[in-house]
Amino acid sequence: MIGSQRHPKTRAKLMLGLAAVLSDPAFPAVTNAAVAQRAPCDPGDIHKVFASHTQLLEALVEFVEDSTASIAQQVTERTPPGPLRQGRIAAGICQFFTKNPSAASIMLASTIRGEKPRFYERVAAWWASLDPQYVDLIARRV
């Protein structure tokens, strides 16, 4: 059984701690200690839930994927197709990154060094999954 499945409450606390770190405008490093402090929980709990720091960062990418997909879905349901929809989706993603500046920094791969290639591949796959027009609109705002 995967660690996160054995400790769902701990994983939820850790994800909230991760979100707190990511929403800090001071752009703190996303370290196990910083996440544990914000959770609050014992740093050892991180190793019970995530086998590696890379898995913790991949959980972050999953959080970004889920959040941005939700933004796009909500806008799509409320806005007719066309440039207005595209602009609103891009604005929603920018707003998400404004509220979660460390997440933006990580998704831009500007703060992560030395992670496993699969982490960078996952980030690149997220960018590749976006409509090129969204990427262009986001790039103009970031």
Side-chain angles (χ1 to χ4, degrees), residues 1-25:
M1 187 177 260
I2 296 173
S4 62
Q5 291 173 334
R6 285 186 295 204
H7 305 282
K9 289 181 182 177
T10 303
R11 179 182 170 84
K13 280 177 62 174
L14 289 171
M15 293 309 295
L16 290 173
L18 180 58
V21 170
L22 297 174
S23 65
D24 187 337

Side-chain angles (χ1 to χ4, degrees), residues 6-59:
R6 285 186 295 204
H7 305 282
K9 289 181 182 177
T10 303
R11 179 182 170 84
K13 280 177 62 174
L14 289 171
M15 293 309 295
L16 290 173
L18 180 58
V21 170
L22 297 174
S23 65
D24 187 337
F27 294 99
V30 180
T31 63
N32 290 356
V35 172
Q37 181 182 14
R38 299 282 180 100
C41 68
D42 186 277
D45 289 341
I46 292 173
H47 299 291
K48 292 177 187 173
V49 177
F50 301 105
S52 67
H53 188 69
T54 299
Q55 281 189 356
L56 176 68
L57 293 175
E58 287 175 339

Side-chain angles (χ1 to χ4, degrees), residues 16 19 24 31 44 55 59 63 74-75 81 84 89-90 112 114 126 136 138:
L16 290 173
D24 187 337
T31 63
Q55 281 189 356
F63 166 70
Q74 290 174 25
V75 171
L84 180 63
I89 290 172
I112 301 297
W126 177 79
D136 185 47
I138 293 167

Side-chain angles (χ1 to χ4, degrees), residues 79-112:
T79 310
L84 180 63
R85 178 190 287 177
Q86 294 167 341
R88 285 185 177 171
I89 290 172
I93 293 171
C94 287
Q95 185 177 31
F96 168 78
F97 282 142
T98 299
K99 290 179 180 178
N100 300 282
S102 294
S105 183
I106 288 170
M107 294 308 286
L108 293 169
S110 60
T111 60
I112 301 297

Side-chain angles (χ1 to χ4, degrees), residues 25 68 71 89 120:
T68 55
I71 290 165
I89 290 172
Y120 297 106

